[in-house]
Amino acid sequence: MYHTIVRRRIRSLFDAVNRGDARPVLDTFTPDGEHVFNGAHAMSGRRVTAQGRADWYARLFRLLPDIRFILHRIDVAGPPWATIAVVEWSETNSATDGIRTGAAGVHVVHLKWGRMTRLLILTDTAALQATLSRTAETSRGESLAPPIDERPGWPAP
């Protein structure tokens, strides 16, 4: 039953992001929860504060304003104090230049008593970097900005 609740909650968090609302995701993190996105680009890095995570989602919505996720699979394992969920997804977006692209990836979600302690986002970074490079002008350079990276170094120790 608990794993069913976790799956439902994860779907609702993706639904919120699909509506352009990061607040439910941000509110699920523990105060020191870690948000990690692989690669070396404007969306990569590691955030470990509420402000860093909020800044990252604000950038996501500025650079990929109509991003939409389709969830393909959610696997959940572990007890409430040490739960891991793996979410397989695909997404589409129009970026700041209106050209429709997409990618596939995985979220690895670590939960403790329903709160997110770590979110690891793994996707096709080559496709994302191509979009970010292509949109340098229409994003006023933000797509080429340094990552919001509060604790450099990946993978996390």
Side-chain angles (χ1 to χ4, degrees):
M1 178 66 158
Y2 169 70
H3 291 175
T4 300
I5 293 168
V6 170
R7 280 186 200 88
R8 188 175 325 134
R9 178 70 178 137
I10 286 172
R11 280 188 190 93
S12 75
L13 294 175
F14 274 91
D15 288 345
V17 171
N18 285 344
R19 292 189 310 271
D21 181 9
R23 181 53 44 203
V25 175
L26 295 169
D27 289 347
T28 301
F29 275 98
T30 59
D32 61 347
E34 184 179 47
H35 181 279
V36 181
F37 194 113
N38 69 316
H41 47 76
M43 299 307 300
S44 65
R46 189 177 339 170
R47 279 112 344 241
V48 293
T49 66
Q51 188 61 57
R53 292 185 298 269
D55 291 347
W56 187 90
Y57 279 96
R59 179 178 281 180
L60 173 71
F61 292 135
R62 284 191 303 273
L63 296 178
L64 307 173
D66 67 349
I67 191 165
R68 296 293 178 271
F69 290 90
I70 297 170
L71 305 185
H72 301 289
R73 182 178 177 139
I74 303 173
D75 292 321
V76 181
W81 57 89
T83 306
I84 296 180
V86 177
V87 185
E88 297 174 24
W89 50 261
S90 57
E91 61 85 10
T92 60
N93 68 79
S94 295
T96 56
D97 62 1
I99 296 174
R100 199 103 189 125
T101 61
V106 172
H107 276 44
V108 180
V109 182
H110 295 247
L111 299 163
K112 183 175 185 177
W113 299 113
R115 302 289 309 274
M116 203 168 352
T117 59
R118 187 166 196 246
L119 172 59
L120 174 61
I121 304 170
L122 303 166
T123 190
D124 179 352
T125 58
L128 177 58
Q129 285 176 306
T131 296
L132 295 174
S133 294
R134 190 187 73 237
T135 59
E137 187 175 320
T138 58
S139 72
R140 297 184 186 106
E142 186 173 18
S143 64
L144 300 180
I148 300 166
D149 195 359
E150 298 175 318
R151 191 176 294 159
W154 193 90

